[in-house]
Structures are given as structure tokens and as C-alpha cells.
Amino acid sequence: MPVAAWFATVKIQQENGEYVLQELLSGNEAIARGAWEAGVTVATGYPGTPSTEILEAVVGYKEDIYCEWSPNEKVALEVAAGAAMAGARAIVTMKHVGLNVAADPLMTLSYLGVEGGMVVCVADDPGQHSSQNEQDTRQYARLGKMPVFEPSDSEDAVKMMAEAMEVSERYRTPVILRSTTRVSHSRSMVTLGERRKPNEVGFERNPPRWVPLPLWGRRMRVEVEDRLKALSEATSTSPSNRIELRDTSLGIVAAGIAYQYVREVFPEASVLKISFGYPFPDKLFREFAAKVDKLLIVEELDNILEEHIKALGIECIGKEVVSPIGELSVDRLRETRARLEGRELPEPAHLPEEDGLPGRPPVLCPGCPHRGVFHALGKRDVIVTGDIGCYSLGVFPPLNRTDTILCMGGGVTVAHGMDKAGESRKLVGIVGDSTFFHSGITGLLDVAYNRGKSTTIVVDNRTTAMTGHQEHPGTGLTLMGEPTIEASIEDFGRACGMKRIVTVDPYDLKETIEAVTAEIDADEPSLVISRAPCPLKERKPIGPRRLIDEEVCITCGKCVKLGCPAIESSEERVRINPLLCIGCRLCEQVCPVQAISKEEG
Amino acid sequence: MKSEITSVLLVGVGGQGVLLASEITARAALAVGYTVKTNEVHGMAQRGGSVTAHVRYGEEVFSPLVPMGEASVLGSLEEVEPIRYHNLLKPGGLAVVSAQRIIPTTVSTGQATYPADAKDRLKRVFPNLVYFDAVEEARSLGNPQAANLVILGAMSTALTLPADAWKESIGACVKPKFLELNLRAFARGRELA
């Protein structure tokens, strides 16, 4: 869903009598606000929960900031890098797995460096609320030898964007700003500031600076190491890292949002708040350790600070009392505290009333066009390799029509790999429209080029649906709302060399089943495009609502097997919830006794 | 010195208006001068999944999420959803639950059953329970979509925020043409609590 714009602005009088404006912003809105205040003029990205709303908020500043949804994170990072090489301040946004896609340009951009400030905003998802894995983006900072900031709330996000831009320009390095789900999607107060004057833009030709051929790249490698040493001094004196001395019997090093949980669970303890943690602020670690009797390290996901502090020869505890798996919380740190104090916390009460509560997994919406494709695939014993998007929900009962999911674009290529391995069943790869443009095209080219036989189905619902309906190269609109080209999936298929290309209306089950069956049976690779816009985006009915005539219904359950949330069944009857039905007609088409028809009137 | 943090939890199913109710609560607390933090669910969980919104306010607030046993009040727009979150409510805290049932597909497809004894379960889990059909209440006021404001009105009786702050906040959060309806829905909720 698009982020709600709250704009709850309040006026606060400061001690010096002056007024400041404060606003309740989500972490993502605060990152966008920080970018605007820092004088950013170019912002790029690819949608991905929990990072999506950063660029959606940047659009609010489109008079001052050029912004785009790029086809994927690699492209987005390169575009932002180009802007920063020319002297502009730029940001690029993505979720943690997006940085895997963008890692190639980032690792070498670290060598080239930047002229204008460049901040790579990456949102991690500890606890995997909307992600296929847990990754700690701070590892990339170490790998690429570049600084990383970790805001603990929205106010931090605005301040750290300003500092990250300064650091980026002073040390000529890209900087990572690592958010997490709870920072990105929590709201807290932000003091609003003025916009810094944007940089002058003008690229300066200088091949030894911008071309990492080995001749010059080897020199850059040495400079990167020198930069790290200089930055290690900077992190020890940064305002983003601070020692809060209270009772010194226990000192806690807390990074990112862990700081908030630590303050609530250990209110009396001394704390070293780390929000600019790499290159490691060794001086601060030593200073803090010398002031406290016992040292505890609390960080979300990997124990990066802890391992380094131990390597410095400082005694501390961390992962033995704070597991690196999943997201932290006040509740988890209360368990940590209890263990440290040799207490046992009572288990959270499990009541008999909780038994047998029906699960509520995410499902395809009423009227979702993907449902027709999954229904058609249910007619055959094929292996279906899926991809990242709403259609990943096809894995759940009653559809049960997805066998694997790997990564963006993997739907196309994993099918091809199984085919080449000699899998005896037919192979079908599924990919969405936005995902096809993101990284499905190269896979399709591989299938055609290397004489594969798998069927690729692009479920084109004309939007990036799962992340809340962002535009992409096929929609005809840019992020800034300008009309543009509509890239054609059929044309891409032809250009890749696909000979069999068919487009179907997924609301017409007969047409969809026939096409899918014919393409599966074909002995050469084929491309099926299922095209119908996402009804959740269109916000209007597809047709008149459907009704079940209970006199005619034989409660066979065929309509129920479509997995539509509007179809409610109990032992004695099946009914269509009129508040949910949007008239897609799929249930009418699967009913063997014509019990379902459109509502009268 | 530890100042008191007030925690409020709203639950329901995507699309029921949980986020609007949490926004109104947050703004009402802001209007009184409290520091506020909130958290909301985005992404995959929104596709028919269980939705929660957390609001916390006080002199100083750290975690944006409500820890176990700390919610002063729990409001739910769906009948059985609040049972999943009972551990977050303070012992004896107020639970306001609508009799609305949103049937999950796990029930429609026979993998699970919707508890027939939902009301009895609620009474046992929440000793301090206010239970009514918020959609029916809102419908009788003219628009079933104001069910979230009826729930919020009932929840507000467990919070110390003044009436003016609620009124101001509702005025800032809903469209002018729905203001009158929403204020009446909120007032109706206060009567029902």
C-alpha cells in the first residue's frame, strides 16, 4: 500500500526561545526528508519491502529531486553512481537482497570513489517479515571497505543522512545507510531542517581517477586501505556514536535499533550507542570498556562488532546471550537480562483458548488474475519454479502450484536448469512483469540461446504489486508521474529468439488452460504472457458480483479450490461474500452445475 | 527515573481500518505534548494476513513495539484475532473486540475451522472485555465503514487523553464530510464501553 502521508507537524519551543517544527515520520519518510535536507538531487531505486516507501516519499520533493524506479538495483546503483561522479549528491534505495544484485558496481565504486556524496540506503528485514532470507548489510560495508550508518529511529535517520553525505564527500567514498524493518516502518518525531544548497554539477575528465584498469586499479586498492584508517579516526569522534555513562557495573554496546530496546530493558546501564560502526571505532570501544566492569554487545543479526571487540583483546559477551537469528525486541532482551542475572523468566502463557485458531496466511486477493494461471497449471503434473512477487502465494493450499522459489528472475532459470539436468516432468517457470524486467530477460535469453524446452509464464498484472503498486518499464508511467514508453514483454521474447509466444486473458479459463497446455506440450521453449491489471490497484470491480444458487449447488468444492477469499464454505453450504467479490467469473467457469451466476440488477 | 509509557495495540485483518485508528491515537497523544512512537505492518502480511498497529506514548519512548504485558488497551476489528495477542495486554487491561468474523481461506478450504465458541473464549481470555458488533453499530449510525471509530471510542475510555485531543485528532485524520459520522461513531463507542 502507498505510505500514508500523515504530516502531523507540531511546533516546539526550544530552551533558547526559538521554535522548531517537528513531524511524526516513518523511518523511510525520514530517510527521504534527510536526503532532501542534505541537498540530494538524484534518487534511484527498485521497490522491496521494507525499503519501498523511501522513494515514494522522495516523490514528494520531485521539484527538487529527480527520482526514478530503475529496472533493478544494479541499474539504480549505477545511475546514482553516475550522478555522484558528476558531482551531484545522490541516494539509491533497495532491500537487503537487492544489494546482492547491486553488489557488482558497488564493490568497484568503492575504488573509484565519488565526487558528490552518495548514500546507498539498504533496508534489512530481520525476522523475515517479507523476505526470503536474513542478511546483515553491514557485512557488505566490510567487504567493500566503506562506511556504514545504522539509525535507531527517524530522528537518527535524518541526522545520519546529513553526516553520511559529509563523510562521503570528505573521504570520496560511497556510504551505506542500513535501516531495518522496525526503523523503516516505525514513526517517531523528527525535527525539520532547511535544505542545503545542491552541489554544482560538472564531470571532471581524469581517467586515472575514474578507470580501474589494473594500471590504476592497483593504486586505488592502496588508497582504499588508507581511507579506512582515516575513517576509523572519524568513527571514534562522530556524533552518531556516543557514550552514555550511568551505572558502570554493566556497559552495553548497542548498534542501530538495538539501542532503543537496550534503553528500555537496561535503563540504569551505561551504553555506547553505535550508529556509525564501520570502520570500527576502536578508540571508543577501548575507552568505554575501560569505564565499565562488564561489557555486553547487542546488535541485530550478525555479531560483527562483538567479533571485532574480542579481536581487540577486550573481554565481552554477546551472541551467547543474544542470538544472531531473527529480530530483537524488548521481550528478547528481557530474557537476556534474566539470564545475566541468573533468573528464569516465566514462559509466556499459552492458553487453551489459543488452540485451533485458524491460520491467516497471506493469500491472493479476490479477483487476482494470477489465480487463473495457477488453476490452469493444476491440470498437469509439471514442476513449477516460482519467483518473488504476489504469485509466490501460489505455493499455499489450495493452489499448491509452486515448487521452488530462489530469487528475482530465478523462476525462469531454475526451470531451465532442471530441464538440462534431465528432470523427466515438464518444467514451467513463473515470473511477474516487474520481475521480468528486473532480471527475467537474461534468463529467457539463456533458455532460447541454449536450446531449452521449459515454458516461461509471465504473469503480467501491469504493476509491481506486492510492494504496493509501483510503476515499472512496462506501465507507461515513471515514478515522477510522467508518461513514457511501455516496454513490451512480447517484443523482448521475440528479441531473445523465442518462437512460441502466446498472450492470454487469465480470466478466461478455457483460453488459459488451452494455451498453457499447448505450450507445456511443445517440444521447444515457449513464452506465455498472462495479462490483466491488478484489481487491487485498479480499485474497481472486474464485473458484476457472483452469487451461488443454493438450490442448484451440490457443494462439490470445485470453486473453493480456487482459494478465493470471497468464497466461504462451511460443512453445509458455500457462499460468496458480497463485500469481497469483484466479479472475476473464475468460480462461475469451474462450477460443474452452473450454480454460480451474476447478481441480478 | 523512569517515566510511564502508555502502550496501545490495534489488531485486525488488512483493509479494516486498523491504521487509521492508530493514526488518530498517535495524533491525540501528540496534541497533548507526549512523545509518540508507532509501528505498522507493510508488505506481504497485508495480503489478507493478520495486521497489528502499535502506538506508544509518554515523556520518553524507546521501543516502537509494545512489549509483552504492557498494552493498556487492546482493540480488535475482528473476533478471534485478539486472542493471538493476549500476551501483550497488561493483566486486567481493557480489550475491546468487534463481533466481526473475517473467514480466512484456511477455513473455507477445510484446513481449519473458525471457533464456534469465539465469544466464550474471549470472555475467558480477557476478564475486562467490551464486546459488540462494531459494523452493526456503525451501520446504525449511517455507515458501516466507521466501525473502527466505534472500537476506538470504546478503547479511549481506558486512556487518559482528553476529549479535546481526540476530537482534534479525528478532525485532522478524516475527510471533512465524514467528520460528523466519525465523531458520532467515536462517541457511540465510549457509551458502549
Side-chain angles (χ1 to χ4, degrees), chain A residues 53 82 85 103 146 149 227 234 258 267 315 345 378 394 444 454 467 490 495 522:
Chain A
E53 301 83 7
M85 287 179 192
M146 64 191 87
F149 284 83
R227 186 179 74 200
E315 206 176 308
L345 277 190
L444 192 68
S454 59
T467 46
E490 286 85 346

Side-chain angles (χ1 to χ4, degrees), chain A residues 246-290:
Chain A
R246 284 176 280 269
D247 180 355
T248 54
S249 59
L250 175 66
I252 304 175
V253 178
I257 197 167
Y259 170 80
Q260 304 292 347
Y261 304 138
V262 162
R263 291 287 287 118
E264 195 153 334
V265 176
F266 299 89
E268 76 294 347
S270 293
V271 174
L272 169 54
K273 176 180 192 261
I274 293 291
S275 294
F276 184 8
Y278 190 79
F280 299 113
D282 290 352
K283 274 188 193 161
L284 267 185
F285 290 147
R286 289 201 172 95
E287 183 190 336
F288 185 63

Side-chain angles (χ1 to χ4, degrees), chain A residues 251-255 262 285 288 295-299 303-307 309-310 314-319 321-322:
Chain A
I252 304 175
V253 178
V262 162
F285 290 147
F288 185 63
L295 194 60
L296 168 68
I297 319 298
V298 184
E299 48 196 326
N303 50 327
I304 297 173
L305 299 181
E306 180 195 347
E307 280 180 357
I309 290 169
K310 282 183 172 153
I314 298 170
E315 206 176 308
C316 63
I317 50 170
K319 71 171 179 195
V321 286
V322 185

